[in-house]
Coordinates of all heavy atoms in Angstrom, one line a residue:
L1 N 129.3 120.2 37.1 CA 130.3 119.6 38.0 C 131.4 120.7 38.4 O 131.5 121.7 37.7 CB 131.1 118.5 37.3 CG 130.2 117.3 36.7 CD1 131.0 116.4 35.8 CD2 129.6 116.6 37.9
P2 N 132.1 120.5 39.5 CA 133.1 121.4 39.8 C 134.2 121.4 38.8 O 134.6 120.4 38.2 CB 133.6 120.9 41.2 CG 132.5 120.1 41.7 CD 131.9 119.5 40.5
A3 N 134.8 122.6 38.6 CA 135.9 122.7 37.6 C 137.2 122.3 38.3 O 137.3 122.0 39.5 CB 136.1 124.2 37.2
K4 N 138.3 122.1 37.5 CA 139.6 121.7 38.0 C 140.1 122.8 39.0 O 140.7 122.5 39.9 CB 140.6 121.5 36.8 CG 140.2 120.4 35.9 CD 141.2 120.3 34.8 CE 140.9 119.1 33.8 NZ 141.8 119.0 32.7
D5 N 139.9 124.1 38.6 CA 140.3 125.2 39.4 C 139.4 126.4 39.1 O 138.5 126.3 38.2 CB 141.8 125.5 39.3 CG 142.1 125.7 37.8 OD1 141.4 126.6 37.2 OD2 143.1 125.1 37.3
G6 N 139.7 127.5 39.8 CA 138.9 128.7 39.6 C 139.0 129.3 38.2 O 138.3 130.2 37.9
Q7 N 140.0 128.9 37.4 CA 140.3 129.5 36.1 C 139.6 128.8 35.0 O 139.5 129.4 33.9 CB 141.8 129.5 35.8 CG 142.7 130.2 36.9 CD 142.3 131.6 37.1 OE1 142.0 132.4 36.2 NE2 142.2 132.1 38.4
H8 N 139.1 127.6 35.3 CA 138.4 126.8 34.2 C 136.9 126.9 34.3 O 136.3 127.1 35.4 CB 138.8 125.4 34.3 CG 140.2 125.1 33.8 ND1 141.3 125.5 34.5 CD2 140.6 124.4 32.7 CE1 142.4 125.1 33.8 NE2 142.0 124.5 32.7
V9 N 136.2 126.9 33.2 CA 134.8 126.8 33.1 C 134.3 125.5 33.8 O 134.8 124.5 33.4 CB 134.3 127.0 31.7 CG1 132.8 126.7 31.6 CG2 134.6 128.3 31.1
P10 N 133.3 125.6 34.7 CA 132.8 124.3 35.3 C 132.2 123.4 34.2 O 131.5 123.9 33.3 CB 131.7 124.8 36.2 CG 132.0 126.2 36.5 CD 132.7 126.8 35.3
P11 N 132.5 122.1 34.2 CA 132.0 121.2 33.2 C 130.4 121.1 33.3 O 129.9 120.9 34.4 CB 132.6 119.9 33.5 CG 133.8 120.2 34.3 CD 133.5 121.5 35.1
M12 N 129.7 121.3 32.2 CA 128.3 121.3 32.2 C 127.8 120.4 31.0 O 128.5 120.4 30.0 CB 127.6 122.6 32.1 CG 127.8 123.5 33.4 SD 127.2 125.2 33.2 CE 128.5 125.9 32.3
M13 N 126.7 119.8 31.1 CA 126.2 119.0 30.0 C 124.7 118.9 30.0 O 124.0 119.0 31.1 CB 126.8 117.6 30.0 CG 126.3 116.6 31.0 SD 127.1 115.0 30.9 CE 128.5 115.3 32.0
F14 N 124.1 118.8 28.8 CA 122.7 118.5 28.6 C 122.6 117.1 28.0 O 123.3 116.8 27.0 CB 122.1 119.6 27.8 CG 120.7 119.2 27.3 CD1 119.6 119.3 28.1 CD2 120.4 118.7 26.0 CE1 118.3 119.0 27.7 CE2 119.2 118.4 25.6 CZ 118.1 118.6 26.4
A15 N 121.7 116.3 28.5 CA 121.6 114.9 28.0 C 120.1 114.6 27.7 O 119.3 115.0 28.6 CB 122.1 113.9 29.0
I16 N 119.8 114.1 26.6 CA 118.4 113.7 26.3 C 118.4 112.3 25.6 O 119.3 112.1 24.7 CB 117.7 114.7 25.4 CG1 116.2 114.3 25.2 CG2 118.4 114.9 24.1 CD1 115.4 115.5 24.6
A17 N 117.5 111.4 26.1 CA 117.5 110.1 25.5 C 117.0 110.1 24.1 O 116.0 110.8 23.8 CB 116.6 109.2 26.4
V18 N 117.7 109.4 23.2 CA 117.2 109.3 21.8 C 117.3 107.8 21.4 O 118.2 107.1 21.8 CB 118.1 110.2 20.9 CG1 117.9 111.6 21.1 CG2 119.6 109.9 21.0
K19 N 116.4 107.4 20.5 CA 116.4 106.1 20.0 C 116.6 106.1 18.5 O 116.2 107.1 17.8 CB 115.1 105.4 20.4 CG 114.8 105.2 21.9 CD 113.6 104.4 22.2 CE 112.3 105.2 21.9 NZ 112.1 106.3 22.8
P20 N 117.1 105.0 17.9 CA 117.3 105.0 16.5 C 116.0 105.1 15.7 O 115.9 105.6 14.6 CB 118.0 103.7 16.2 CG 118.6 103.3 17.5 CD 117.7 103.8 18.6
G21 N 114.9 104.5 16.3 CA 113.7 104.4 15.5 C 113.7 103.3 14.5 O 114.7 102.5 14.5
K22 N 112.6 103.2 13.8 CA 112.5 102.0 12.8 C 112.6 102.5 11.4 O 112.4 101.6 10.5 CB 111.2 101.3 13.1 CG 111.1 100.7 14.5 CD 109.8 100.0 14.7 CE 109.7 99.4 16.1 NZ 108.4 98.7 16.3
G23 N 112.8 103.8 11.1 CA 112.8 104.2 9.7 C 114.2 104.0 9.1 O 115.1 103.4 9.7
K24 N 114.3 104.4 7.9 CA 115.6 104.2 7.1 C 116.7 105.1 7.7 O 117.8 104.7 7.7 CB 115.4 104.6 5.6 CG 114.4 103.6 4.9 CD 114.3 104.0 3.4 CE 113.4 103.0 2.7 NZ 113.2 103.4 1.3
T25 N 116.3 106.2 8.2 CA 117.3 107.1 8.8 C 117.3 107.0 10.3 O 116.3 107.4 10.9 CB 117.1 108.6 8.4 OG1 117.0 108.7 7.0 CG2 118.1 109.5 9.0
P26 N 118.3 106.5 11.0 CA 118.3 106.5 12.4 C 118.2 107.8 13.0 O 119.0 108.8 12.7 CB 119.7 105.8 12.7 CG 120.1 105.1 11.5 CD 119.6 106.0 10.4
V27 N 117.2 108.0 13.9 CA 117.0 109.3 14.5 C 118.2 109.8 15.3 O 118.5 111.0 15.2 CB 115.7 109.2 15.4 CG1 115.5 110.6 16.1 CG2 114.5 108.9 14.6
D28 N 118.8 108.9 16.1 CA 119.9 109.4 17.0 C 121.1 109.9 16.1 O 121.7 110.9 16.4 CB 120.3 108.3 17.9 CG 120.6 106.9 17.2 OD1 120.4 106.8 16.0 OD2 121.1 106.0 17.9
Q29 N 121.4 109.1 15.1 CA 122.5 109.5 14.2 C 122.2 110.8 13.5 O 123.0 111.7 13.2 CB 122.8 108.4 13.2 CG 123.4 107.2 13.8 CD 124.8 107.4 14.4 OE1 125.5 108.3 13.9 NE2 125.1 106.5 15.3
A30 N 120.9 111.0 13.1 CA 120.5 112.2 12.4 C 120.7 113.5 13.3 O 121.1 114.5 12.8 CB 119.1 112.1 11.9
L31 N 120.3 113.3 14.5 CA 120.5 114.4 15.5 C 121.9 114.8 15.7 O 122.3 115.9 15.8 CB 119.7 114.1 16.8 CG 118.2 114.1 16.7 CD1 117.6 113.6 18.0 CD2 117.7 115.5 16.4
F32 N 122.7 113.7 15.8 CA 124.2 113.9 16.1 C 124.8 114.6 14.9 O 125.6 115.5 15.0 CB 124.8 112.6 16.4 CG 126.3 112.7 16.6 CD1 126.8 113.5 17.6 CD2 127.2 111.9 15.8 CE1 128.2 113.6 17.8 CE2 128.6 112.0 16.1 CZ 129.1 112.8 17.1
K33 N 124.4 114.2 13.7 CA 124.9 114.8 12.5 C 124.5 116.2 12.4 O 125.2 117.1 11.9 CB 124.5 114.0 11.2 CG 125.2 112.6 11.1 CD 124.7 111.9 9.9 CE 125.4 110.5 9.7 NZ 124.9 109.8 8.6
A34 N 123.3 116.5 12.8 CA 122.8 117.9 12.8 C 123.6 118.8 13.7 O 124.0 119.9 13.4 CB 121.3 118.0 13.3
A35 N 124.0 118.3 14.9 CA 124.8 119.0 15.9 C 126.2 119.2 15.2 O 126.8 120.3 15.4 CB 124.9 118.2 17.2
D36 N 126.7 118.2 14.6 CA 128.0 118.3 13.9 C 128.0 119.3 12.8 O 128.9 120.1 12.6 CB 128.3 116.9 13.3 CG 129.7 116.8 12.7 OD1 130.6 117.7 13.0 OD2 129.9 116.0 11.8
S37 N 126.8 119.4 12.1 CA 126.7 120.4 11.0 C 126.7 121.8 11.5 O 127.4 122.7 11.0 CB 125.4 120.1 10.2 OG 125.5 118.9 9.5
F38 N 126.0 122.0 12.6 CA 126.0 123.4 13.2 C 127.3 123.8 13.7 O 127.8 124.9 13.6 CB 124.9 123.4 14.3 CG 123.5 123.6 13.9 CD1 122.6 122.6 14.2 CD2 123.1 124.7 13.1 CE1 121.3 122.7 13.8 CE2 121.8 124.8 12.7 CZ 120.9 123.8 13.0
A39 N 128.0 122.8 14.3 CA 129.4 123.1 14.8 C 130.3 123.4 13.6 O 131.2 124.3 13.7 CB 129.9 121.9 15.5
G40 N 130.2 122.7 12.5 CA 131.0 122.9 11.3 C 130.7 124.3 10.7 O 131.7 125.0 10.3
L41 N 129.5 124.7 10.7 CA 129.1 126.1 10.3 C 129.8 127.2 11.1 O 130.3 128.2 10.7 CB 127.6 126.3 10.2 CG 126.9 125.5 9.1 CD1 125.4 125.7 9.3 CD2 127.3 126.1 7.7

């Protein structure tokens, strides 16, 4: 998307559909927690 002005990084995003699945561990939450863990590191 266009940025607010020429000094700001243009907003960008990557989106991928994820489902919880039927297992004990919800797949969508597991992927989000993985992203959170990498960010924490």
Side-chain angles (χ1 to χ4, degrees):
L1 304 170
K4 296 178 180 178
D5 54 52
Q7 304 302 316
H8 285 70
V9 173
M12 291 176 281
M13 75 181 87
F14 168 78
I16 185 166
V18 291
K19 297 185 287 290
K22 298 180 180 179
K24 294 181 179 179
T25 303
V27 175
D28 53 354
Q29 292 293 336
L31 290 173
F32 180 57
K33 289 179 180 178
D36 184 26
S37 297
F38 281 120
L41 287 174

